[in-house]
Amino acid sequence: MSTLDIYDPAQCCATGACSPDADDELAQFASSLEWLKQCGVAVSRYNLGHQPGAFAQNTMVKGTLEKDGIACLPLVIADGKIVSKGRYPTRGELGQQLGVAEQAGCAPAAPGAKRCCG
Amino acid sequence: MKVLERPTRNLFFTGKGGVGKTSTSCAVAVALADRGKSVLLVSTDPASNLDEVFDTPLTNAPTAISAVPRLQAMNVDPEAAAAAYRERVVGPYRSLLPADAVASIEEQLAGACTVEIAAFDEFAKLIGDRDMAARYDHIVFDTAPTGHTLRLLALPAAWSGFFGSSVSGTSCVGPLQGMAAQRDLYSAAVASLSDPLVTTMTLVSRAERSALEEAERTSVELAELGVRNQALVLNGVFQPKGTDDPVAVAMHRQERAAIAAMPARIAALERSVIPLKPRQVVGVEALRGFFTDFDGGTVLPLPHRPRSLPDFAQLVDQLQSGGRGLVMTMGKGGVGKTTVASRIAVELARRGFAVHLTTTDPAAHVAAAVGRVPENLTSGEINPRLEVERYRAEVMATTGAKLDANGRALLEEDLSSPCTEEIAVFQAFARVVEEARDRFVVVDTAPTGHTILLLDAAQAYHKEVMRQAKSVSDAVRNLLPRLRDPAFTRIVLCTLAEATPVHEAAALQRDLRRAGIEPYAWLVNQSLAPLALTDPLLLARRAQEGRYIDEVADTHAGRAFILPWEAGVSASVESSPEQVARIA
């Protein structure tokens, strides 16, 4: 089974409520994760503010943090490989990395999901 | 005094800073102990002066007050409790994670929510603990949990770790998740708060319109949460001696008008009126006379007069030097920051500058008042309630649409947090500031250091994603560097010449400094110091101000100015159109 690990930055209310723009990017990303779960990917998500241990214990994450600083967050790791730093990948990118066709339709497509914005 | 006739076990006193919660709760605690009850008095004010009041050094454990048998007192500092919580989370990782990662965790946990939850944790330990219950007949608190905290605790999702797993792992309840072991204790505490046989919630207010309106809001909010056993204390009600002193007469008339116009719900509560004291209530004897002393004892002969400070015109002289820029007035509720902002705007316009004034008090009607002023003064309004509603609707329609019922309930409560209101208001005034680069923009609010740091972090993050996602709006992006530019932005911290407002303003200043912003000036508002007075009580109050004026000028302020109390423009009526018009 494929695995996807997301290391999120510390944010005050990362529900989006406290971000400077009411930002549905986070929600879109969350819906992409739901889709991947339905497709059988094991998804884990860690927040620096509440699970700092997860960051300290993973040598790849810790090393990237030391090299790039917190700008590397969110850090997305698929099957042990870094997929993206400092941004949330699109559904297309995630599917490609994990070998899940975007048309796979494991679950109903989430409303408003963006395809790609390069 | 209702709470003295049928005292419940838990007695909470709530109200905004400077209304006399600590004095009232001390006096109640002493009175109950004098009647043979064993009493614990708890102060949760970070700037508590209980030590001074009882002349006894206190700690965060109960300490006997020698002058009052059966009374013990303690200080609990929610800021310190929040700091201890932060350290529990962050401490183990200091040596394991890079410094910027540790700093970002700390900032996330530096918000008002963490302090509120930490304060509740302290309440819960005291009112939910059986040993404590057995040891005291009464526990008296000089503050109370907020409605926001109580609603959070009532949500099942707050305890389930819902957000930890499914959306993004953090919300206002982050601190709660760290304290999940306490759940039973919290439930017991919440239950006893809404039991009228166990808990009385006393709202403390001054006889001022804005303070009474805030008490009304608190009363409604608490009642909705089941906390219905409420009482009202009107503290510091002024009774002039004779009719010779025009200031005294005007002050008295203003208070009577505010009391006559008191909102319905609090007007129906059992009410105690406590007379204005000539000086700070310090010492057990003063506390014993607290409910009855209308004269406040004898007034010292000819008390000394506080030092003079530069006046309002001199403040405006300095503000106008740049010819344009952003002027923000800042301060806790009740210090008159809306009035001060209007006066600065009007004065700058009168001197020929183009000025735009924006206020956040929806009842201020400043727009109407300044309509009489030349075209070079325009005005607008940011209504925090409408901004939050708009923001909430937006977030619920996007993020909220993707969550289940529990998740939505929790997101809604996140959106009721103090941080959210600040963010919503900040966005609104970022737009206003953007509108006017070639003039003065005067705003009656300023973001806290915490908000600025969060926005800054978000901005750094969004820089990375700009190509992919929508970025922070241009208005916000442009505003952050300007806020830090002392040539463009000037913050005027407003306070009163009293203990609590000065300490609260000092806390705001510390928070701004964290974000690299230095307030331009302090303004001591509604001061008696510059006034000619004859009323003996007001003379004594004026002498009392000296200590706080000194503290502002010597300890806190780079530049300090003073604005005298004026009939019609004090906090109690600052919003009425006629009166604001009069200054124009």
Side-chain angles (χ1 to χ4, degrees):
Chain A
M1 187 167 75
S2 292
T3 60
L4 184 68
D5 298 303
I6 296 97
Y7 293 85
D8 284 303
Q11 282 171 291
C12 176
C13 293
T15 54
C18 283
S19 86
D21 273 301
D23 196 346
D24 62 4
E25 186 199 355
L26 280 172
Q28 284 176 5
F29 184 66
S31 80
S32 299
L33 297 185
E34 284 307 312
W35 167 69
L36 288 170
K37 280 189 215 163
Q38 299 286 342
C39 295
V41 176
V43 176
S44 310
R45 206 155 175 194
Y46 309 95
N47 181 278
L48 179 60
H50 294 286
Q51 295 128 302
F55 291 68
Q57 281 150 21
N58 184 314
T59 48
M60 188 189 295
V61 175
K62 197 182 160 193
T64 311
L65 266 179
E66 276 160 5
K67 191 155 59 74
D68 300 344
I70 49 172
C72 76
L73 303 178
L75 186 64
V76 180
I77 299 177
D79 293 327
K81 268 177 30 204
I82 294 179
V83 175
S84 70
K85 291 193 232 177
R87 65 185 183 88
Y88 289 107
T90 62
R91 177 175 293 218
E93 286 174 306
L94 289 170
Q96 205 175 9
Q97 284 294 329
L98 293 157
V100 180
E102 209 183 337
Q103 295 78 12
C106 303
K114 277 192 263 185
R115 280 184 65 91
C116 187
C117 18
Chain B
M1 192 76 192
K2 177 192 180 185
V3 292
L4 292 178
E5 286 155 22
R6 299 179 297 279
T8 52
R9 196 178 92 82
N10 301 324
L11 301 165
F12 287 91
F13 292 85
T14 183
K16 62 184 183 182
V19 296
K21 295 186 292 286
T22 300
S23 304
T24 309
S25 47
C26 287
V28 166
V30 169
L32 291 172
D34 284 350
R35 292 169 188 202
K37 305 292 188 181
S38 95
V39 181
L40 175 63
L41 172 62
V42 184
S43 173
T44 53
D45 182 351
S48 162
N49 66 342
L50 275 198
D51 301 41
E52 189 188 351
V53 170
F54 289 109
D55 193 23
T56 304
L58 297 175
T59 66
N60 59 0
T63 301
I65 304 295
S66 55
V68 186
R70 295 171 297 279
L71 176 61
Q72 300 195 338
M74 63 188 279
N75 279 325
V76 166
D77 180 352
E79 305 264 357
Y85 166 73
R86 265 199 303 280
E87 197 46 42
R88 278 205 301 282
V89 173
V90 177
Y93 301 103
R94 268 186 210 293
S95 55
L96 295 175
L97 289 172
D100 67 341
V102 169
S104 78
I105 302 172
E106 285 183 320
E107 190 52 43
Q108 188 205 351
L109 297 174
C113 300
T114 309
V115 177
E116 281 191 16
I117 299 287
F120 189 83
D121 191 49
E122 300 293 334
F123 290 133
K125 276 190 234 157
L126 290 166
I127 65 179
D129 186 305
R130 273 168 221 269
D131 289 349
M132 282 286 181
R135 223 176 306 159
Y136 301 101
D137 297 316
H138 302 289
I139 306 184
V140 180
F141 296 86
D142 73 348
T143 182
T146 65
H148 174 54
T149 304
L150 293 176
R151 283 192 305 270
L152 264 181
L153 292 166
L155 292 171
W159 297 98
S160 66
F162 177 87
F163 273 87
S165 58
S166 76
V167 179
S168 53
T170 143
S171 78
C172 291
V173 294
L176 266 185
Q177 289 163 355
M179 297 171 178
Q182 315 267 34
R183 185 172 185 173
D184 290 345
L185 190 61
Y186 285 11
S187 311
V190 171
S192 73
L193 280 177
S194 49
D195 183 345
L197 299 176
V198 178
T199 298
T200 308
M201 191 69 66
T202 302
L203 304 148
V204 185
S205 178
R206 292 299 186 102
E208 289 173 349
R209 185 194 60 86
S210 65
L212 290 167
E213 282 172 359
E214 178 156 331
E216 176 79 1
R217 280 193 293 275
T218 306
S219 173
V220 170
E221 189 177 40
L222 289 171
E224 280 168 359
L225 289 160
V227 184
R228 295 201 178 83
N229 188 18
Q230 301 178 359
L232 177 69
V233 165
L234 282 185
N235 190 32
V237 175
F238 176 51
Q239 186 63 55
K241 279 221 168 28
T243 53
D244 299 338
D245 185 332
V247 173
V249 170
M251 222 175 240
H252 181 56
R253 190 182 305 139
Q254 200 159 290
E255 285 192 358
R256 311 271 342 154
I259 292 171
M262 193 186 301
R265 212 196 128 78
I266 55 168
L269 295 176
E270 195 152 350
R271 184 189 312 173
S272 313
V273 176
I274 295 169
L276 184 68
K277 303 291 187 279
R279 62 185 73 84
Q280 245 186 327
V281 181
V282 173
V284 171
E285 285 323 303
L287 287 170
R288 285 186 170 129
F290 187 73
F291 300 112
T292 48
D293 260 3
F294 263 84
D295 284 331
T298 44
V299 172
L300 294 173
L302 215 62
H304 81 281
R305 191 144 182 190
R307 76 210 261 183
S308 68
L309 291 177
D311 65 13
F312 183 73
Q314 287 166 286
L315 170 62
V316 180
D317 288 345
Q318 296 194 17
L319 290 175
Q320 78 178 47
S321 63
R324 60 167 198 143
L326 177 61
V327 178
M328 296 190 285
T329 59
M330 188 180 198
K332 288 285 189 148
V335 297
K337 56 184 185 292
T338 302
T339 307
V340 172
S342 319
R343 293 186 68 150
I344 290 172
V346 168
E347 185 57 30
L348 284 169
R350 207 186 267 162
R351 295 179 184 198
F353 295 96
V355 182
H356 182 79
L357 168 68
T358 296
T359 65
T360 48
D361 183 349
H365 304 306
V366 174
V370 299
R372 303 163 40 172
V373 174
E375 295 131 32
N376 59 342
L377 175 56
T378 56
S379 64
E381 179 183 288
I382 294 172
N383 181 333
R385 199 173 48 77
L386 295 182
E387 293 301 332
V388 169
E389 265 168 30
R390 185 160 79 183
Y391 186 69
R392 180 194 310 240
E394 206 174 306
V395 175
M396 291 312 292
T398 53
T399 305
K402 291 160 187 143
L403 305 175
D404 67 15
N406 280 343
R408 271 198 304 279
L410 186 48
L411 179 61
E412 285 226 42
E413 197 48 49
D414 261 6
L415 286 166
S416 314
S417 77
C419 314
T420 302
E421 177 169 327
E422 243 203 76
I423 296 277
V425 169
F426 186 87
Q427 288 189 301
F429 93 59
R431 293 192 294 270
V432 171
V433 172
E434 187 71 3
E435 275 168 25
R437 262 165 287 189
D438 53 347
R439 60 187 59 213
F440 281 106
V441 175
V442 184
V443 192
D444 69 343
T445 183
T448 63
H450 178 58
T451 297
I452 292 166
L453 289 169
L454 286 176
L455 290 169
D456 211 15
Q459 191 192 6
Y461 159 60
H462 276 280
K463 260 184 221 146
E464 304 294 319
V465 294
M466 223 172 287
R467 280 189 310 120
Q468 186 212 0
K470 70 176 171 167
S471 62
V472 177
S473 70
D474 287 348
V476 171
R477 188 166 48 239
N478 293 339
L479 184 54
L480 285 170
R482 283 183 181 169
L483 286 177
R484 291 201 165 109
D485 176 2
F488 185 83
T489 297
R490 286 161 174 189
I491 294 178
V492 178
L493 261 179
C494 302
T495 185
L496 308 179
E498 290 172 23
T500 304
V502 169
H503 294 150
E504 286 181 343
L508 289 173
Q509 174 162 279
R510 277 195 300 278
D511 186 58
L512 282 173
R513 284 177 174 164
R514 251 170 9 103
I517 295 180
E518 183 64 28
Y520 180 76
W522 281 53
L523 179 72
V524 179
N525 194 21
Q526 297 168 23
S527 173
L528 297 174
L531 298 175
L533 303 166
T534 58
D535 186 277
L537 198 147
L538 292 187
L539 280 171
R541 300 278 305 177
R542 188 177 73 182
Q544 185 80 41
E545 287 187 358
R547 169 179 169 185
Y548 301 104
I549 291 171
D550 289 347
E551 184 182 335
V552 167
D554 299 336
T555 312
H556 303 305
R559 300 172 185 82
F561 300 87
I562 202 159
L563 190 57
W565 186 90
E566 206 173 303
V569 292
S570 79
S572 59
V573 290
E574 70 179 39
S575 304
S576 97
E578 313 78 61
Q579 275 125 0
V580 181
R582 204 188 301 164
I583 59 173

